[in-house]
């Protein structure tokens, strides 16, 4: 591991200063934006899986100010630069991008704290690249944002779709060394609308 990380190839891939200012500037200077810039370099240098984390979405208190001033500007800046950067390098069509959190936020405001709490019945995820048709919203909530208007798609469906895009059969059952069956995705199914 030490040899890999200290190799000249790894150092070159990790060196975001090698990007031209015209390419790097749209990513901004936030830790998230710089992580998105680094992700484009890692994908370009053959790293098969890259994870970017942007924590701190618990908006139980002061939801609107936190989103407006702290959370959404760097997310918007970093993600838009990630997508345009991957496309500029010719990598978006071969790179599956999944943006997700753990759950949604309550449609009803917690007036005691001016915030929104954890909510598992409705949420959104963003998927792009890897041959998916973009620019669409698939699914919707009811008028109160309390749950899916129709059948909806589960996180397992998203996982099955993501694995499918990676060339991994989401229905395959593996066996542990002791013979215990392990499913990659137990109840999910590929979302066909994402692939058409």
């Amino acid at each position: 591991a030490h040899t890999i990380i200290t190799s000249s190839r790894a150092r070159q891939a990790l060196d975001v200063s090698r990007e031209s200012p015209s390419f790097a500037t749209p990513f901004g200077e936030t830790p998230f934006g710089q992580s998105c810039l680094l992700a484009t370099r890692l994908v370009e240098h053959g790293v098969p899986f890259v994870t970017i984390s942007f924590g701190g979405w618990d908006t139980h208190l002061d939801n609107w100010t936190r989103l407006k001033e702290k959370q959404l500007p760097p997310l918007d800046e970093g993600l838009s630069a990630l997508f345009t950067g991957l496309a500029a390098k010719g990598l978006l069509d071969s790179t599956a991008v999944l943006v997700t959190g753990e759950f949604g936020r309550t449609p009803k405001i917690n007036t005691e704290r001016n915030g929104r709490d954890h909510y598992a019945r409705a949420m959104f995820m963003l998927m792009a690249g890897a041959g998916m048709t973009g620019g669409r919203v698939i699914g919707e909530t009811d008028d109160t944002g309390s749950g899916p208007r129709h059948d909806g798609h589960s996180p397992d469906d998203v996982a099955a779709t993501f694995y499918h895009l990676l060339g991994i059969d989401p229905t395959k059952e593996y066996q542990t060394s002791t013979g215990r069956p392990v499913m990659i995705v137990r109840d999910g199914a590929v979302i066909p609308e994402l692939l058409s």
Side-chain angles (χ1 to χ4, degrees):
H2 181 266
T3 302
I4 292 170
I5 291 173
T6 59
S7 71
S8 61
R9 186 170 176 213
R11 283 197 308 274
Q12 183 179 32
L14 294 167
D15 187 359
V16 295
S17 71
R18 291 178 174 261
E19 294 293 349
S20 70
S22 62
F23 184 84
T25 299
F27 290 87
E29 297 297 325
T30 66
F32 180 72
Q34 289 297 294
S35 295
C36 290
L37 174 59
L38 178 57
T40 65
R41 290 193 58 78
L42 294 175
V43 171
E44 183 178 35
H45 283 83
V47 176
F49 295 96
V50 178
T51 301
I52 303 169
S53 180
F54 187 163
W57 289 93
D58 266 345
T59 56
H60 299 285
L61 299 170
D62 199 20
N63 179 75
W64 290 271
T65 303
R66 284 179 161 201
L67 291 176
K68 181 180 178 183
E69 296 178 4
K70 183 179 177 187
Q71 301 303 102
L72 294 176
L75 180 72
D76 182 55
E77 179 180 58
L79 278 182
S80 62
L82 175 68
F83 294 134
T84 57
L86 287 170
K89 291 181 180 226
L91 298 168
L92 187 57
D93 287 341
S94 61
T95 304
V97 179
L98 171 62
V99 181
T100 185
E102 305 168 82
F103 38 68
R105 309 303 294 182
T106 51
K108 189 173 181 180
I109 305 308
N110 182 330
T111 56
E112 291 178 18
R113 297 182 287 198
N114 198 28
R116 296 175 70 193
D117 299 317
H118 300 174
Y119 195 69
R121 293 196 62 229
M123 64 182 292
F124 84 95
M125 296 177 181
L126 175 73
M127 295 179 78
M132 285 180 276
T133 304
R136 296 178 299 153
V137 175
I138 297 173
E140 61 183 315
T141 59
D142 59 25
D143 290 341
T144 64
S146 300
R149 181 174 300 280
H150 304 291
D151 291 338
H153 294 288
S154 70
D156 284 350
D157 293 337
V158 174
T161 304
F162 194 65
Y163 281 120
H164 172 78
L165 291 169
L166 297 176
I168 299 170
D169 179 0
T171 64
K172 185 167 182 176
E173 182 177 282
Y174 292 89
Q175 301 286 324
T176 66
S177 59
T178 60
R180 179 177 170 225
V182 177
M183 298 284 297
I184 294 180
V185 179
R186 184 168 303 282
D187 296 317
V190 172
I191 302 169
E193 301 95 317
L194 282 172
L195 310 178
S196 59

